[in-house]
Amino acid sequence: LREAALVGLRDQVWGTELGRLYLADKIDGVTFEAGKRWGRLVVAYHRAMGAKPPYPKTVSFTRFDPSPDPDPDSDEGKRQAGEAHAIIDDMLEAHAVLIGAGMLAENAVRKVCEENEVPVGAVGLNNLRRGLDWLAQHWGLTQPQKKERKGA
C-alpha cells in the first residue's frame, strides 16, 4: 500500500509516516484516525487563515480548490467566513488539548502529522501515541462501540 500510494495508485495516507506506523502496527486504528484528523485540521486551519501550511511536507488529506473566494458580503461569503471561524476555533481547542498531553507529545504529533517525520525511538513513539490518544478522546473517537445483541 505504501509503495502504491507513493506512485499515486492508492490513497496518499498510506505513503505517509502516519500510514506506515499504522501498517506496521505501531499505532492502533483510533490513534491513526486522530492523526489523520489532526493533519486535515492543520491544513484547513491554514486555509481558513489564508496562509500556506508552514511545512512544505505537510500532508493534505483534502484536495485544493483553486476557485476564487466569493464576495465577503454575499451569502456564500458569509457562510465561508462562518466555516473559517469554526475551523479556527476547532484548531485552537484541539491544540490546547494537545498541549495538555505535554510538550513532548505535542512535538511528536506535529512532527509526524505535519512534517511527515519519523518518531525518534520508543520514547518518540510513546509521545506520539499519548498526544494522539488525547486528541482521540477530545474528538470522541474512543467511544466504545455498541455491541449488537444476538438475534436482534
Side-chain angles (χ1 to χ4, degrees), residues 21-146:
L21 291 169
Y22 178 68
L23 290 172
D25 285 331
K26 301 291 184 181
I27 59 174
D28 63 22
V30 170
T31 53
F32 178 59
E33 288 302 318
K36 289 191 312 183
R37 186 166 177 172
W38 176 263
R40 287 190 305 265
L41 182 57
V42 166
V43 170
Y45 170 76
H46 284 92
R47 280 193 190 139
M49 297 290 290
K52 291 181 183 178
Y55 308 105
K57 293 190 284 183
T58 297
V59 178
S60 174
F61 298 111
T62 58
R63 301 270 185 240
F64 174 70
D65 181 8
S67 60
D69 291 332
D71 178 359
D73 293 324
S74 70
D75 288 340
E76 180 62 18
K78 289 176 184 175
R79 184 191 65 76
Q80 283 188 4
E83 287 178 1
H85 288 292
I87 289 168
I88 291 167
D89 290 345
D90 288 348
M91 179 63 182
L92 295 175
E93 191 175 304
H95 188 236
V97 167
L98 187 55
I99 288 171
M103 184 175 64
L104 296 175
E106 177 204 9
N107 185 52
V109 168
R110 297 190 80 170
K111 290 285 186 186
V112 172
C113 299
E114 295 177 38
E115 298 180 55
N116 203 27
E117 291 188 8
V118 178
V120 179
V123 172
L125 187 57
N126 286 335
N127 288 325
L128 174 67
R129 286 185 194 128
R130 185 174 60 250
L132 293 177
D133 284 343
W134 276 57
L135 289 171
Q137 274 193 317
H138 168 68
W139 287 320
L141 301 176
T142 58
Q143 298 298 324
Q145 299 296 318
K146 291 184 179 180

Side-chain angles (χ1 to χ4, degrees), residues 147-152:
K147 294 181 181 179
E148 284 188 35
R149 291 186 344 206
K150 291 186 179 185

